[in-house]
Amino acid sequence: MSDDKLLSIIECCELLKVSRPTFEKMRKKHSLKEYLVGSRPRFSRNEITKILYSEISTDDRDARVKKKEAKENIKALIVNDFDLDKAYGGMNIDIDRLAAVDSYGVSSLLCKLIGESGRLQRKIYTSKGFMRAYFQKLNFLPQLQKFSGGSVQIDASMLIQDSTIFPEIILPISQVGFKTAEKKYLEQIRAILRTQGFSNEIGDYIGWTLGELADNSHTHSDCGGKVFISIERLEAKEHNYLQINILDMGDGIHTTLKKNVKYSNLSDEKALLMAFKSKVSSWGDEHQRGKGLTDILKIAFECNSFFRVESCNLAYMFYCQDKRREVKKIMPATSTNGTRFSIVLIDNDFKEIKRTEVDRFVDEFLEQL
Amino acid sequence: MNISKLSQFGVDLAGREFGNNVYDLIIKDTTFPIILDFDGVGSMGSSFADEVVVKIAKQQNNKIIVKNINRVIKSCLNDVKDETGIELVIQ
């Protein structure tokens, strides 16, 4: 029990992502041992984790193992080029054609399909239980139905219910429809993270990150309330990792910044990077704005982390780590209008970084363009 | 000295417009000088800090006293201090 932790029934339900009646059934089925703390029953987190994996069917377990193997090298998913077009075959979208996909890829596909709605009639389907379950648990279908205006037909194959549990999905794709709407999710996120052994600080950094980026989406771009967030836990050896995705369907960072005449002559690439400097904003200097994206870069440095940013058809990776400080151009997951972030926060020893250092980092890469 | 408990406005404080609203609410019910108590607050963004911390500091000789700040909030406040030249006192 030395590396174990005792969980209450509520915490077990949160970890397993099941209701209390379902937990009671699982408890009987697996003869789960109770540890009494006072008069209250508690359960071993290690034993609960074993249940998680035993509840998965053999086929799905194989698929899950493959996904886990892929996720052990998290850069394989976050950093590599996503090619969502691979799923497209004529007017059909076969998600089985995606070799690998994570919550950011699913969110990007959602934005791509919403962006195409009204212009094209498409049909989406799958034959793989694992993919179907992953898309379902990420809340992809309800969001697609809500925002695509019926222009994407959802094949029955996407709707078959699947019992696969994805404890790594901390927050499925959720809409932040107006300013400060992200706050309603943060309490829930913090509670889950505590149960799963994350530090309080990582919850604070998530609050800061989502607060800044959701506010940016609603302030600077005409996204019509189409702002989507999701959080997924990544499996890695040394530390706990979290992937925080926030995507909007506004004008994109570089397009928005260039509305300020001071930056209107910059190339799109330069405008996108320049936006991460402090006091650089689409609003005039007299408003003293332009701190949100610098905060994001600062958070990434303080967590020794990295992130992907996409602005319409442009995409960059920012490596803000002791071992690697670099900005690298990559292929976007989609060229749909909007701003899309996937930030990997690492739950490790946080260190304070000054905004001036962040500005210097951006300047170095601006000079190279 | 008056103490304003920021947790009444939420655990995560971000956004310029939200900060401006919070500033109006704080000054409505109190008189300067004010101590800002961050007990129960997890994070604060720079824009929010501009609208609340800096504006309050300007009302009290460019000085702000804060208490119960965590590392994340301290990091933000130190940048605000460097950029604006306000005097930051951590209790």
Side-chain angles (χ1 to χ4, degrees):
Chain A
M1 291 287 291
S2 60
D3 61 339
D4 201 0
K5 188 183 169 188
L6 293 178
L7 304 178
S8 67
I9 292 177
I10 292 171
E11 288 171 327
C12 292
C13 292
E14 283 173 355
L15 183 57
L16 291 164
K17 295 278 176 68
V18 295
S19 65
R20 187 157 179 166
T22 306
F23 174 71
E24 294 298 340
K25 282 181 201 162
M26 293 166 92
R27 184 178 164 182
K28 280 182 191 159
K29 182 180 164 188
H30 295 276
S31 307
L32 201 56
K33 189 180 174 186
E34 275 184 22
Y35 300 86
L36 285 176
V37 177
S39 60
R40 295 178 185 278
R42 294 287 185 269
F43 302 91
S44 151
R45 184 162 68 181
N46 287 347
E47 287 172 36
I48 296 288
T49 308
K50 280 180 196 160
I51 288 180
L52 270 176
Y53 287 94
S54 67
E55 286 286 313
I56 300 164
S57 70
T58 311
D59 287 349
D60 285 343
R61 193 182 298 132
D62 290 344
R64 192 184 176 86
V65 167
K66 281 179 192 162
K67 183 167 183 265
K68 191 180 174 195
E69 283 168 0
K71 286 210 162 189
E72 279 181 354
N73 180 6
I74 56 172
K75 290 177 188 173
L77 284 169
I78 309 283
V79 179
N80 275 13
D81 293 337
F82 278 100
D83 192 355
L84 295 177
D85 286 340
K86 276 186 184 164
Y88 281 63
M91 298 311 289
N92 290 333
I93 299 152
D94 178 0
I95 58 173
D96 298 349
R97 292 184 184 184
L98 299 171
V101 70
D102 64 1
S103 50
Y104 179 72
V106 176
S107 304
S108 296
L109 183 60
L110 174 69
C111 289
K112 183 175 168 69
L113 291 170
I114 295 171
E116 291 168 352
S117 64
R119 289 183 283 133
L120 298 163
Q121 285 291 324
R122 299 212 182 266
K123 184 176 180 181
I124 186 165
Y125 62 92
T126 180
S127 61
K128 288 184 186 168
F130 176 77
M131 274 290 199
R132 173 172 56 236
Y134 188 57
F135 274 64
Q136 282 177 2
K137 297 298 182 320
L138 273 170
N139 211 22
F140 172 83
L141 296 177
Q143 300 292 4
L144 182 64
Q145 284 173 318
K146 184 176 176 184
F147 292 102
S148 69
S151 66
V152 181
Q153 187 190 342
I154 295 167
D155 187 75
S157 62
M158 293 290 290
L159 299 171
I160 300 166
Q161 287 301 308
D162 191 290
S163 62
T164 308
I165 296 167
F166 291 89
E168 63 264 45
I169 298 174
I170 306 286
L171 180 74
I173 300 171
S174 309
Q175 187 198 6
V176 179
F178 53 89
K179 279 189 183 187
T180 71
E182 76 284 354
K183 289 179 189 292
K184 70 178 172 189
Y185 303 113
L186 286 164
E187 191 179 340
Q188 170 197 342
I189 292 165
R190 280 193 163 93
I192 295 171
L193 292 181
R194 271 196 296 273
T195 308
Q196 298 196 4
F198 283 88
S199 69
N200 286 334
E201 274 154 327
I202 199 93
D204 296 337
Y205 277 114
I206 291 172
W208 189 357
T209 303
L210 291 180
E212 290 300 332
L213 290 179
D215 189 70
N216 264 6
S217 292
H218 289 292
T219 301
H220 297 288
S221 66
D222 185 17
C223 61
K226 291 195 273 291
V227 180
F228 304 102
I229 60 173
S230 56
I231 300 179
E232 187 173 15
R233 189 183 71 208
L234 302 175
E235 295 178 26
K237 284 168 189 162
E238 330 89 68
H239 298 290
N240 286 325
Y241 289 62
L242 285 170
Q243 181 182 359
I244 294 119
N245 308 306
I246 176 160
L247 302 86
D248 72 44
M249 301 203 60
D251 301 326
I253 295 172
H254 63 278
T255 315
T256 305
L257 182 64
K258 287 168 79 168
K259 288 176 185 167
N260 181 342
V261 288
K262 190 173 172 184
Y263 307 110
S264 58
N265 291 328
L266 290 177
S267 67
D268 290 349
E269 286 87 352
K270 217 164 190 169
L272 174 54
L273 295 179
M274 181 72 93
F276 285 87
K277 285 196 67 174
S278 51
K279 297 174 188 167
V280 172
S281 169
S282 61
W283 294 41
D285 290 354
E286 68 277 15
H287 298 286
Q288 295 188 316
R289 284 177 173 259
K291 295 191 170 172
L293 292 184
T294 318
D295 276 0
I296 298 305
L297 205 42
K298 176 182 161 80
I299 290 166
F301 272 109
E302 294 197 349
C303 297
N304 200 20
S305 299
F306 52 93
F307 66 89
R308 176 186 186 111
V309 57
E310 296 193 11
S311 173
C312 304
N313 59 346
L314 292 174
Y316 283 92
M317 279 299 305
F318 281 70
Y319 297 93
C320 309
Q321 300 175 283
D322 292 338
K323 62 182 180 189
R324 187 176 185 186
R325 292 190 169 209
E326 188 187 357
V327 182
K328 190 180 166 196
K329 192 172 183 182
I330 54 172
M331 204 177 100
T334 169
S335 55
T336 307
N337 272 6
T339 300
R340 298 172 290 276
F341 277 92
S342 186
I343 301 171
V344 174
L345 293 184
I346 304 173
D347 198 0
N348 56 8
D349 292 329
F350 306 101
K351 58 179 186 297
E352 193 174 325
I353 298 286
K354 293 203 171 291
R355 292 169 69 92
T356 46
E357 191 174 335
V358 170
D359 275 345
R360 272 200 301 276
F361 171 78
V362 178
D363 280 336
E364 280 173 24
F365 286 94
L366 280 170
E367 282 170 17
Q368 292 172 23
L369 281 178
Chain B
M1 201 176 282
N2 291 306
I3 296 175
S4 181
K5 285 189 170 291
L6 289 173
S7 59
Q8 64 185 301
F9 305 110
V11 179
D12 300 288
L13 307 174
R16 196 169 293 277
E17 198 178 317
F18 180 56
N20 195 28
N21 293 340
V22 167
Y23 174 75
D24 288 342
L25 289 169
I26 290 174
I27 62 166
K28 191 175 143 191
D29 295 331
T30 192
T31 51
F32 298 104
I34 300 170
I35 294 175
L36 294 179
D37 185 351
F38 285 84
D39 186 28
V41 177
S43 69
M44 177 178 65
S46 302
S47 310
F48 181 94
D50 279 351
E51 296 299 321
V52 176
V53 178
V54 178
K55 278 185 182 174
I56 289 175
K58 282 180 180 168
Q59 300 288 334
Q60 39 196 44
N61 297 322
N62 228 22
K63 178 179 176 180
I64 192 79
I65 303 171
V66 296
K67 59 192 284 189
N68 295 317
I69 57 169
N70 64 22
R71 283 166 58 178
V72 177
I73 294 168
K74 187 180 173 198
S75 173
C76 177
L77 282 172
N78 279 336
D79 280 330
V80 171
K81 180 188 75 171
D82 291 347
E83 284 175 13
T84 61
I86 62 170
E87 183 186 349
L88 176 67
V89 179
I90 300 170
Q91 275 192 349

